[in-house]
Amino acid sequence: MIAVLLLAPILAAQAVPAGEDPVDPYTQSNANAGATPFTGDSMWRAFREREGVARIVEGMVTRNLADPRISDIFKNQDLVRLRRTLNEQFCYILNGGCAYTGRTMRDAHKDMGIQTADMTALVENLQAAMRAEHVAFAAQNRFLAKLAPMRRDVLQRPAR
């Protein structure tokens, strides 16, 4: 079940034609992060705070780029923006005192054609990055449970 959970902003960066604004206008809001933050600081501490979150994001992005199942999704993407918005989103959800400046999950993933298998690979790579940071299994599951509802905004529905 965990393997089909969503890592929402992982594909948020879109390729940008020369001379165009990289992001359509949108209203910045923490609500765009797709989940409400945890209360207290226990999850933030479990993820090793800002430095741990940064290592998790970097590990996950590196794994995604090397993963033959999904690496093509990241070609021609703004990886600097991707890393920044993932760090913001994770920090916000983990109650680390950050603001999320990215788009809504639906807008960030519109027309990307993301399927269940893609999401499975993303979540597996996130889990591997969390394990490498020694995040306790229970904390990993709590975090993935926060991300799971975003699945409906990211998954591309098959044509009928």
Side-chain angles (χ1 to χ4, degrees):
M1 178 65 181
I2 290 175
V4 296
L5 297 175
L6 166 67
L7 177 61
I10 207 66
L11 304 172
Q14 298 283 345
V16 180
E20 288 188 22
D21 186 352
V23 180
D24 291 332
Y26 65 97
T27 302
Q28 287 187 6
S29 170
N30 284 332
N32 291 352
T36 58
F38 289 98
T39 57
D41 67 350
S42 63
M43 286 294 288
W44 183 237
R45 286 185 291 110
F47 276 72
R48 313 283 189 273
E49 301 176 349
R50 190 172 307 275
E51 293 79 15
V53 168
R55 287 187 296 266
I56 290 167
V57 167
E58 185 57 36
M60 180 185 60
V61 170
T62 299
R63 284 171 174 82
N64 290 335
L65 294 171
D67 189 332
R69 299 173 295 174
I70 57 173
S71 59
D72 284 348
I73 293 170
F74 297 93
K75 288 183 180 172
N76 300 316
Q77 302 301 318
D78 182 348
L79 298 177
V80 171
R81 182 172 186 273
L82 174 64
R83 286 177 174 100
R84 177 182 55 80
T85 56
L86 282 171
N87 271 287
E88 290 174 358
Q89 184 189 41
F90 288 9
C91 177
Y92 172 74
I93 293 171
L94 293 166
N95 200 22
C98 301
Y100 177 71
T101 64
R103 296 171 285 166
T104 66
M105 296 303 101
R106 185 176 306 278
D107 289 344
H109 300 91
K110 183 180 177 188
D111 300 324
M112 293 186 78
I114 300 168
Q115 300 294 310
T116 300
D118 303 324
M119 292 173 49
T120 298
L122 293 169
V123 171
E124 289 171 359
N125 292 335
L126 172 57
Q127 289 172 307
M130 290 187 293
R131 278 192 308 273
E133 188 58 26
H134 306 289
V135 174
F137 188 71
Q140 291 181 38
N141 284 341
R142 288 185 68 204
F143 186 61
L144 291 172
K146 280 278 191 181
L147 299 177
M150 296 178 209
R151 182 178 191 273
R152 67 180 161 265
D153 291 330
V154 176
L155 190 65
Q156 181 71 43
R157 304 290 186 250
R160 292 182 188 247

